[in-house]
Amino acid sequence: MTRIFEEIKKEIGFSFPENTIFEHSDVLKLVKDKNSFTIYYSEKRELMQAALIAKANADLQEYCVEERRHFDDMCFFIDCSRNGVLTVETMKKLMRNVAMLGYNALMIYTEDTYEVNNEPVFGFLRGRYS
């Protein structure tokens, strides 16, 4: 679980206060009063969303945001062909960002942008993945 908090800190520079209460629920709900946060969530992506909401409302003393998920799965599909190969670090950043928007999957479309053993031309001059 600490990994998710590290990813949030890395991406948007936000950390939940130490007295934050995390409760499992079927709906994302973020409640902030003057002294604490309470977050109701069911998936890690909802913690990412909660962090984004909390950072956006940092100047407010109290608020309550509730969001009901309309889809169990939301997938972001990215084309990494035609000289569009992303670096691993850029791909990780993209994953963090789409998670904060509520996505829980990312698919990569590739053609010949990866290496194949004993095929030196496969992916040649295409920014191939190894």
Side-chain angles (χ1 to χ4, degrees):
M1 189 62 142
T2 57
R3 176 95 173 135
I4 191 83
F5 298 118
E6 291 170 10
E7 296 294 330
I8 291 168
K9 179 74 172 172
K10 182 175 184 176
E11 190 55 41
I12 63 171
F14 178 82
S15 295
F16 289 108
E18 288 192 24
N19 62 344
T20 301
I21 300 167
F22 299 99
E23 297 284 338
H24 287 280
S25 172
D26 62 342
V27 64
L28 169 61
K29 185 174 181 181
L30 175 62
V31 180
K32 182 185 179 205
D33 63 25
K34 293 180 183 175
N35 300 327
S36 67
F37 278 105
T38 305
I39 300 167
Y40 302 88
Y41 72 100
S42 61
E43 295 183 18
K44 289 180 184 179
R45 65 177 164 163
E46 292 169 341
L47 284 178
M48 302 284 284
Q49 286 179 279
L52 195 60
I53 292 166
K55 184 169 183 172
N57 294 293
D59 57 331
L60 299 177
Q61 291 291 319
E62 296 181 2
Y63 59 87
C64 178
V65 176
E66 187 171 327
E67 291 186 11
R68 187 164 304 280
R69 206 173 346 119
H70 297 285
F71 302 99
D72 290 332
D73 296 308
M74 284 182 50
C75 182
F76 188 84
F77 189 69
I78 184 163
D79 184 352
C80 289
S81 293
R82 307 283 181 221
N83 298 322
V85 177
L86 303 176
T87 64
V88 173
E89 189 56 40
T90 300
M91 190 64 76
K92 287 179 180 180
K93 181 177 181 57
L94 180 63
M95 284 189 251
R96 289 189 296 267
N97 283 312
V98 299
M100 288 184 192
L101 297 174
Y103 290 84
N104 64 344
L106 185 134
M107 293 175 65
I108 305 169
Y109 172 76
T110 62
E111 289 175 356
D112 61 345
T113 54
Y114 50 90
E115 292 180 0
V116 176
N117 289 337
N118 301 319
E119 295 289 340
V121 179
F122 203 87
F124 184 67
L125 296 177
R126 299 292 293 263
R128 60 187 171 194
Y129 285 111
S130 59

